[in-house]
Amino acid sequence: MKTLSDFLTEQKNTHMTHIEDKVLYGGVKGTRQAIFALRDLRDMLSGKKEGRVSVKWDGAPAIFAGTDPRDGQFFVAKKGIFNKNPKVYKTNAEIDADTSGDLAAKLKDALAYLPALGIKGVIQGDFLFGRGDLSTETIDGQRYVTFHPNTIVYAVPYEQSAPIRAAKIGIVWHTTYTGKTFETMRASYGVDVKSLKSSSNVWSQDAMLRDVTNATMTKRETEDVNELLSQIGVLFNSISGKTLRALEGNPTLAQHIETYNNTFVRKGAVIGNEVAHTEKLIRWIQGKYGKEIAQRKTPAGKATQRQKRDELLSFFSLKNKVNLVDMFRLQKLIVLAKMKLINKLNKLQNIDTFVKTSKGFKVTGAEGYVAIDKLGGDAVKIVDRLEFSYNNFSPDILKGWDKPTRN
């Protein structure tokens, strides 16, 4: 039987698709990848075999560091590292010329302190804290050292926080890159942090989950996931591969569908009746392009938008609509299976996580997890979107970026 690793390709880790959206973007192959990822997680959490899962940390900014293959010099970078003309920083002056404020301060600290780790090649991580980002809080009677890079507040019991308090920066590493040029580098998920040198100025760790024995599913829990996977398999086999491939070949339409679906996610709601959802999606696309047409000043501009609308709507033949309804049902089943697995994975957290409100702190789960193929080539994102996306967009949740120096 094929596994997740049989269907993965190596790519730059600048964006990962949510597991349920593999159905929209990945066609037959991507949908299989999602199913195999769920199977691999089930097998890992039921104790059948080892798996590779990393925690998604809610850090910012994304940080790249290592040796420039062009000249052997140490650099730090943002995601512009993979531009046609790679943008990397080797001096404070280069950072000042391209960034400012909190971002510039973090990049300068990274440039100052990360060389001590002896990084070989290129690795990617997420910034968790820099100078002035640590706080001491008492939450539910427990004294913590906290850092709040984005939406989630990470809290470490004070008596265990000495290495964090001594550090100038904190970074979690998750991806390794290899190749002779930035343009041709290939990503593998995971970083060998044991190969890095120790520095008291850098609190540094990888994102991998190690011991999953505390999250082993019971026989009943495994059976529940198996039942969902069985339903997923039956439904997947009933969906026309032609429809899946047509959607895979039309990323603009897939993005529109994801955007429409996300209007529910951001409200913390789930898709209801799939037939009604499909009809409302069509009306949403019509309305969206109706506004675009109305905003255009010239007949040619209006005609262009009508053409774009009509090209998208041509997908919705009777047969494709029937298959799209089943695709939405398939996504819902994938989400149900995903949530059962996330609930077990959340028991493995070794750092407490909260969100901050005007009334205090509220417990939340991790941002999510990344299921990684055995060869480290690629991964899929497994996130409780109803909780995390709601927290991310809710005005009631205070964000780490809401401070004067952030820009």
Side-chain angles (χ1 to χ4, degrees), residues 308-337:
K308 289 181 178 180
R309 177 198 63 192
D310 294 344
E311 287 175 353
L312 289 177
L313 292 177
S314 67
F315 168 84
F316 294 94
S317 65
L318 179 60
K319 183 175 182 179
N320 279 349
K321 284 168 65 175
V322 170
N323 281 289
L324 188 59
V325 167
D326 282 343
M327 289 169 66
F328 287 140
R329 289 173 178 156
L330 180 61
Q331 284 187 299
K332 287 173 70 171
L333 287 172
I334 289 173
V335 170
L336 287 173

Side-chain angles (χ1 to χ4, degrees), residues 34-55:
I35 294 171
F36 293 141
L38 292 173
R39 287 178 180 174
D40 282 356
L41 278 175
R42 173 206 59 191
D43 291 345
M44 182 185 78
L45 293 175
S46 61
K48 286 185 178 180
K49 67 178 184 181
E50 293 184 358
R52 298 187 73 222
V53 176
S54 69
V55 180

Side-chain angles (χ1 to χ4, degrees), residues 36-37 77 85 88 120 123 136 223 250 267 304 340 367 398:
F36 293 141
N85 295 312
V88 299
K120 305 295 184 184
I123 57 178
T136 301
E223 289 173 351
N250 193 340
K267 297 175 186 175
T304 297
K340 287 185 177 294
E367 178 187 344
L398 305 179

Side-chain angles (χ1 to χ4, degrees), residues 6-293:
D6 294 310
F7 287 89
L8 298 178
T9 58
E10 295 176 330
Q11 59 186 0
K12 306 290 194 302
N13 183 12
T14 54
H15 175 76
M16 280 185 289
T17 303
H18 287 280
I19 189 170
E20 60 270 26
D21 287 339
K22 288 288 186 181
V23 178
L24 298 179
Y25 292 103
V28 173
K29 181 178 178 181
T31 305
R32 285 200 185 109
Q33 180 182 337
I35 294 171
F36 293 141
L38 292 173
R39 287 178 180 174
D40 282 356
L41 278 175
R42 173 206 59 191
D43 291 345
M44 182 185 78
L45 293 175
S46 61
K48 286 185 178 180
K49 67 178 184 181
E50 293 184 358
R52 298 187 73 222
V53 176
S54 69
V55 180
K56 274 188 63 61
W57 289 69
D58 187 31
I63 184 83
F64 297 77
T67 303
D68 187 331
R70 298 170 298 185
D71 59 17
Q73 293 186 42
F74 183 84
F75 74 91
V76 296
K78 305 178 295 179
K79 291 183 179 179
I81 184 176
F82 297 123
N83 291 350
K84 185 176 181 180
N85 295 312
K87 184 173 289 186
V88 299
Y89 310 113
K90 299 171 185 175
T91 67
N92 285 349
E94 290 175 341
I95 293 171
D96 285 332
D98 192 51
T99 66
S100 60
D102 185 74
L103 175 58
K106 283 182 166 54
L107 289 172
K108 288 178 182 179
D109 281 348
L111 188 61
Y113 299 121
L114 291 181
L117 300 185
I119 298 169
K120 305 295 184 184
V122 177
I123 57 178
Q124 177 186 353
D126 291 309
F127 229 107
L128 298 178
F129 62 85
R131 290 175 291 177
D133 290 338
L134 297 179
S135 299
T136 301
E137 306 277 0
T138 299
I139 306 173
D140 295 333
Q142 170 74 55
R143 191 182 185 205
Y144 290 102
V145 166
T146 65
F147 44 96
H148 189 189
N150 266 321
T151 300
I152 293 175
V153 177
Y154 294 95
V156 179
Y158 192 86
E159 60 274 12
Q160 301 172 19
S161 68
I164 291 175
R165 287 183 281 120
K168 301 294 193 303
I169 59 175
I171 297 179
V172 59
W173 303 108
H174 52 70
T175 308
T176 299
Y177 292 90
T178 54
K180 295 182 178 180
T181 67
F182 290 123
E183 295 87 343
T184 60
M185 281 186 174
R186 298 166 70 86
S188 60
Y189 291 86
V191 174
D192 181 13
V193 293
K194 292 182 180 178
S195 69
L196 301 180
K197 298 177 182 178
S198 177
S199 169
S200 61
N201 290 321
V202 183
W203 186 73
S204 173
Q205 64 179 68
D206 69 12
M208 298 302 297
L209 288 176
R210 301 290 183 222
D211 183 5
V212 299
T213 55
N214 292 331
T216 303
M217 293 192 298
T218 65
K219 181 180 178 182
R220 178 57 186 272
E221 289 169 335
T222 303
E223 289 173 351
D224 288 344
V225 174
N226 285 341
E227 174 59 27
L228 287 169
L229 285 171
S230 177
Q231 294 177 41
I232 288 168
V234 170
L235 193 53
F236 174 48
N237 288 330
S238 73
I239 297 172
S240 168
K242 185 176 180 180
T243 300
L244 285 167
R245 286 188 289 272
L247 191 54
E248 180 186 13
N250 193 340
T252 299
L253 177 58
Q255 288 166 9
H256 278 62
I257 296 174
E258 182 187 7
T259 299
Y260 179 66
N261 288 350
N262 283 346
T263 62
F264 293 84
V265 172
R266 292 180 181 185
K267 297 175 186 175
V270 296
I271 295 173
N273 181 280
E274 295 86 359
V275 175
H277 187 76
T278 302
E279 294 301 329
K280 290 177 181 178
L281 165 66
I282 294 171
R283 292 197 293 272
W284 180 83
I285 292 174
Q286 291 171 330
K288 175 180 174 62
Y289 279 90
K291 292 177 183 177
E292 293 291 339
I293 292 167

